Amino acid sequence: MNAAGVFRQFSAAWQRCRKGLDVRDRNVDAKTVLRKQLGPDLAVLDLLTEQESAELQVLIDDARATQRKALDASISEVLGRLPRLARGPARKIMFG
């Protein structure tokens, strides 16, 4: 992904955060969600404001989505390089 694509993703995440989407739509504060995802013993989360926590949550969600897409693409590429007869058994081995 080039710099323009990264900037667009960050810009979209920032806009969602400023509008209060994602975290507020779940009726849960951002710090609670962050503690659930990152672990309850991170004292640094207490230093963040609610808006900063929401921004961080949106950025983490976007990073995880991007990582998930990249993983799916790499799995598809690997399976695509296998002979057709080996793809089914390979999927079964990888995913059960």
Side-chain angles (χ1 to χ4, degrees):
M1 177 178 291
N2 61 15
V6 171
F7 179 75
R8 277 194 299 274
Q9 282 187 336
F10 178 79
S11 178
W14 176 256
Q15 291 302 320
R16 283 196 307 276
C17 184
R18 291 201 52 175
K19 290 179 184 175
L21 298 177
D22 295 323
V23 174
R24 291 184 189 162
D25 288 346
R26 293 182 225 150
N27 295 324
V28 178
D29 66 342
K31 287 185 183 182
T32 303
V33 175
L34 284 173
R35 286 192 190 286
K36 191 172 186 180
Q37 288 184 347
L38 302 177
D41 54 340
L42 286 176
V44 72
L45 294 179
D46 295 331
L47 302 175
L48 298 175
T49 65
E50 185 61 30
Q51 176 153 2
E52 291 170 337
S53 298
E55 289 175 25
L56 180 59
Q57 180 61 40
V58 169
L59 292 173
I60 288 173
D61 287 345
D62 287 347
R64 286 185 174 165
T66 301
Q67 186 179 29
R68 200 172 312 118
K69 287 178 187 175
L71 181 61
D72 289 344
S74 65
I75 290 171
S76 295
E77 181 182 346
V78 167
L79 290 175
R81 291 177 185 245
L82 293 175
R84 285 191 187 267
L85 292 175
R87 290 179 192 170
R91 276 194 189 99
K92 189 163 188 140
I93 290 169
M94 289 171 54
F95 303 113

